[in-house]
Amino acid sequence: MAPSDPLRLLAPDSLRRAFDDDRDADTFLLRLERYGPELIESLGAVYGEAATEALLPELLEVLLHAYHTRPADLKRLDEARLLRPDWLQQPEMIGYVAYADRFAGTLKGVQARVPYLEGLGVKYLHLMPLLKPRAGENDGGYAVADYRAVREDLGSMDDLSALAADLRRRGISLVLDLVLNHVAQEHEWAHKARAGDPIHRDYFHLFPDRTVPDAYERTLPEIFPDFAPGNFTWNEEARSWVWTTFNAYQWDLNWANPAVLREFVDIILHLANRGVEVFRLDAIAFLWKRPGTDCQNQPEVHHLTRAMRACARIAAPAVAFKAEAIVAPGDLIHYLGTGGHHGRVSDMAYHNSLMVQLWSSLASRDTRLFEAALRAFPPKPTNTTWGMYVRCHDDIGWAISDLDAARVGLSGPAHRHFLSDFYSGEFPGTFARGLVFQHNPQTGDRRISGSAASLAGLEAALAAGDPRQIDLAVRRLLLLHAVTLGFGGVPLLYMGDELALLNDHDFAATPEHAPDNRWVHRPRMDWARAEAVAADASTPHGRVNAGLRRQIAARQGLAHLHASIESRPVPSPDPCVLLLRRDHPLGTFVGVYNFSEHTIHLPASALREHLGEHALDHLAGSAFTFGHAPVVLDPYRALWLTQAP
């Protein structure tokens, strides 16, 4: 739908009466003028003209309420962000990801530990799911029973607001998960649907028999084939088959119903007024259901996200969206925006492929697949950013395309099989200690659980007491962090990785965790170790911590790492070495990364052609002159080079 005057549907003149202050009215109406057409266009594309005209007055009521009740300090932040729209792209942005309870017990406990985060250089704190989940098994908190309440063991919504305010004063943005695809079966909407309320039954996908579900199942993958096979669950109380992509207790929402969008706009703005600055849009790829497809990455998903973003820009423009879309690169780029959506969907997305290629190159000691995969990546909009990580709370799925593998002479299935063997500890000579997660015999898919330190060899090396292997494991970890910190988006440190925490093999002692071995890499924060590494940087854990802090300090002072610039691979004369170039107005940056335990003699010409005769390494603070002698790269050495003045 594209009316000749889209703003007529929003009646901006009559809206002025909703304000007591002319300046407030001007601010709101200017934003409405800017983002209203985008909102109307995307709503029309999804719901049609008639439904959009009916929905708009309801959305305006939500936006006005959120704007009027937004705290003054957050309104000031809105204006600051509008003046600095690249705030998420700054090199100073260092992310930290943690479960609140495993980090510090409660939200008040997290607040008491904020100085630790400040000392690490953190500017972006993602607290894993903390909105009230269902009791018992809840998919790590992703089965939300109430979006307006906090887990009772963590505290209250007032505690969340107090934490957000404290973080904000210190220049740290609070990031929370917003589960969009589904709610817990205990959610109020699902209760009403089971009770027969026709309004709320339309919030979900409910079917009286297997006819429609069976038709969908022909093209749907299984997300958790081990413990949640299939995509539909019979519910006796509702007398229906319910769409349950992830688990039987997680009911997929019907986003074809405009009321669901209205509900989530209200939820987003409510949480934004509590101080949430970034929303991780969980399972966003699954929102739209279309027969004959895998029901992922459908075009309506991007219109829905654009519509929600437009609403946030009107009422709370300090807010940013991060897409949790773990999909192929060709699909991923749409979550940042292409064509008419260019730069108008999510502000940030996970660069899952980067993480996968880090571990792939570490196992193979070969970066040619890494280079090929990055070369095939579509360019992102310059106003968006990547979220890069070495590890996260989730398993590692070997998202390596057969096409990328073939480009470098590999078999995709064989290489994925090798990586699963290597990181589960089955491959001869492997240094890794991981666990197989969700083996699917039909596809051969075997994902991997494990902490970064254990996957990089520190667990095995410490158990063997081998100083050489311990040293190599430390070097591997610092190499991985150097790539993510030097790539140019927002590097996301997973809690405990700064201390090189190992696998928690006691995870199964907690009954609700026992069926899910991803808890092996979700240990509790070791505060005793944090104090120990601060006092003694010579231990393996201390070396990782000290090295990572040096990398963070170097990054935060290096303008070349602004995320509007993309890293792109350039040809490397040695398959063990990855070269990433960034062309910044201040000059060229080249990241040099040796993915092997061997000393590499890299021809100086490979760097001279990008940097000229002289360069400075910002990691070690050393100067290079590229003459006839090769550049010597120690095992797992990383260089961040810029042209010397």
Side-chain angles (χ1 to χ4, degrees):
M1 181 184 68
S4 57
D5 181 14
L7 286 178
R8 69 175 174 77
L9 298 175
L10 299 172
D13 292 336
S14 62
L15 284 177
R16 188 170 286 277
R17 294 194 296 271
F19 296 87
D20 297 326
D21 185 287
D22 284 343
R23 287 174 298 180
D24 268 354
D26 286 342
T27 296
F28 186 88
L29 292 174
L30 282 170
R31 294 179 191 167
L32 191 64
E33 183 180 348
R34 165 64 181 84
Y35 293 104
E38 290 184 24
L39 173 62
I40 291 169
E41 181 183 345
S42 279
L43 292 179
V46 175
Y47 299 122
E49 184 170 354
T52 296
E53 291 204 28
L55 177 61
L56 278 171
E58 299 176 10
L59 282 178
L60 275 174
E61 185 177 346
V62 171
L63 297 180
L64 284 166
H65 175 75
Y67 182 82
H68 285 310
T69 57
R70 190 152 171 80
D73 64 328
L74 287 170
K75 284 189 173 182
R76 185 183 186 281
L77 184 65
D78 290 334
E79 298 305 317
R81 293 274 164 83
L82 289 170
L83 291 170
R84 197 184 189 190
D86 63 344
W87 65 278
L88 261 180
Q89 298 184 303
Q90 296 294 326
E92 68 184 22
M93 291 302 294
I94 301 293
Y96 194 86
V97 184
Y99 287 91
D101 58 335
R102 302 183 89 71
F103 180 66
T106 64
L107 292 175
K108 288 181 178 177
V110 173
Q111 190 170 347
R113 295 290 187 178
V114 170
Y116 171 82
L117 299 172
E118 276 191 298
L120 195 57
V122 170
K123 298 291 183 183
Y124 166 117
L125 175 61
H126 174 194
L127 294 178
M128 297 294 289
L130 53 73
L131 300 178
K132 185 178 179 179
R134 71 188 298 268
E137 189 179 353
N138 54 45
D139 190 23
Y142 288 102
V144 178
D146 188 347
Y147 288 91
R148 298 172 189 270
V150 169
R151 267 175 47 190
E152 293 170 358
D153 60 312
L154 295 178
S156 67
M157 286 299 294
D158 287 342
D159 293 333
L160 182 68
S161 294
L163 171 61
D166 191 17
L167 291 168
R168 193 159 58 250
R169 284 190 293 270
R170 300 168 188 260
I172 302 174
S173 297
L174 177 63
V175 186
L176 287 193
D177 293 86
L178 185 70
V179 184
L180 294 171
N181 178 68
H182 48 264
V183 296
Q185 64 183 5
E186 290 78 11
H187 193 283
E188 178 188 12
W189 302 338
H191 273 300
K192 291 181 177 179
R194 287 196 298 278
D197 176 7
I199 291 175
H200 287 89
R201 284 182 70 86
D202 196 34
Y203 276 37
F204 301 97
H205 300 274
L206 305 177
F207 306 97
D209 57 44
R210 287 290 309 190
T211 304
V212 174
D214 284 345
Y216 273 109
E217 286 281 22
R218 295 187 188 106
T219 55
L220 290 177
E222 292 180 314
I223 305 303
F224 296 135
D226 280 1
F227 50 71
N231 289 273
F232 298 87
T233 302
W234 174 257
N235 184 271
E236 185 63 32
E237 190 179 352
R239 300 299 300 166
S240 300
W241 287 93
V242 184
W243 200 314
T244 55
T245 295
F246 291 88
N247 287 286
Y249 52 78
Q250 290 167 298
W251 286 24
D252 284 34
L253 290 160
N254 175 19
W255 281 83
N257 179 357
V260 172
L261 173 72
R262 182 199 63 224
E263 295 275 18
F264 273 94
V265 169
D266 196 22
I267 289 167
I268 288 168
L269 296 178
H270 171 77
L271 293 171
N273 283 359
R274 286 288 192 170
V276 179
E277 295 182 27
V278 181
F279 289 93
R280 175 187 177 274
L281 305 180
D282 182 73
I284 190 171
F286 297 84
L287 298 193
W288 198 263
K289 319 301 187 186
R290 174 166 281 114
T293 74
D294 62 1
C295 294
Q296 296 182 44
N297 309 309
Q298 299 302 304
E300 289 83 355
V301 171
H302 311 304
H303 276 293
L304 290 167
T305 311
R306 184 186 178 196
M308 289 187 286
R309 180 181 183 268
C311 289
R313 287 294 195 270
I314 293 166
V319 163
F321 286 171
K322 174 174 61 175
E324 190 266 331
I326 310 304
V327 298
D331 294 318
L332 177 59
I333 198 64
H334 298 296
Y335 291 86
L336 295 177
T338 59
H341 292 315
H342 186 83
R344 298 176 177 182
V345 190
S346 291
D347 305 279
M348 182 176 172
Y350 286 111
H351 202 313
N352 180 63
S353 181
L354 184 79
M355 181 274 297
V356 169
Q357 294 298 338
L358 285 172
W359 293 104
S360 171
S361 294
L362 205 64
S364 65
R365 284 79 162 178
D366 193 321
T367 67
R368 287 174 292 187
L369 177 58
F370 202 154
E371 181 182 326
L374 289 182
R375 198 178 299 282
F377 238 84
K380 68 172 183 60
T382 56
N383 66 327
T384 64
T385 188
W386 294 118
M388 303 87 49
Y389 52 102
V390 172
R391 282 296 287 118
C392 67
H393 74 289
D394 223 340
D395 57 281
I396 301 177
W398 301 117
I400 291 169
S401 77
D402 292 345
L403 182 59
D404 285 342
R407 288 189 178 108
V408 293
L410 295 174
S411 159
H415 189 64
R416 292 190 291 271
H417 185 89
F418 157 69
L419 292 172
S420 294
D421 281 353
F422 190 94
Y423 285 106
S424 63
E426 298 174 18
F427 192 81
T430 181
F431 49 71
R433 295 293 180 268
L435 304 175
V436 171
F437 177 74
Q438 294 292 320
H439 178 210
N440 188 333
Q442 292 184 329
T443 63
D445 182 40
R446 288 179 298 156
R447 288 129 73 182
I448 294 294
S449 297
S451 73
S454 291
L455 294 178
L458 189 57
E459 181 177 326
L462 289 172
D466 185 333
R468 166 68 174 161
Q469 292 304 316
I470 291 172
D471 176 66
L472 291 176
V474 168
R475 289 170 178 259
R476 289 186 198 105
L477 286 168
L478 291 176
L479 172 75
L480 297 175
H481 286 300
V483 178
T484 57
L485 286 161
F487 196 75
V490 180
L492 305 171
L493 304 177
Y494 184 56
M495 187 204 80
D497 280 358
E498 77 277 16
L499 305 176
L501 294 189
L502 305 177
N503 284 340
D504 176 14
H505 293 289
D506 295 329
F507 76 92
T510 303
E512 59 265 33
H513 295 169
D516 185 348
N517 70 22
R518 290 175 297 179
W519 288 98
V520 77
H521 56 255
R522 301 169 182 172
R524 293 193 177 276
M525 183 62 169
D526 189 339
W527 289 108
R529 175 153 289 160
E531 293 176 7
V533 301
D536 182 4
S538 66
T539 66
H541 304 279
R543 285 179 57 200
V544 171
N545 186 263
L548 181 55
R549 288 174 182 271
R550 285 193 297 271
Q551 291 176 354
I552 290 171
R555 172 194 159 87
Q556 291 182 320
L558 195 53
H560 298 71
L561 295 178
H562 191 282
S564 60
I565 308 295
E566 290 225 67
S567 289
R568 58 185 180 88
V570 293
S572 171
D574 192 300
C576 296
V577 178
L578 178 71
L579 300 179
L580 296 178
R581 174 171 172 154
R582 302 172 60 76
D583 292 307
H584 190 274
L586 293 180
T588 300
F589 170 100
V590 177
V592 182
Y593 307 105
N594 177 8
F595 273 83
S596 79
E597 63 269 53
H598 309 298
T599 299
I600 302 295
H601 292 79
L602 193 72
S605 58
L607 301 177
R608 186 191 307 117
E609 67 175 289
H610 303 290
L611 297 162
E613 296 290 334
H614 306 285
L616 175 67
D617 173 26
H618 293 265
L619 288 176
S622 54
F624 284 84
T625 295
F626 303 125
H628 297 293
V631 176
V632 179
L633 299 175
D634 293 334
Y636 301 112
R637 177 74 184 275
L639 305 175
W640 287 354
L641 300 175
T642 62
Q643 295 158 311

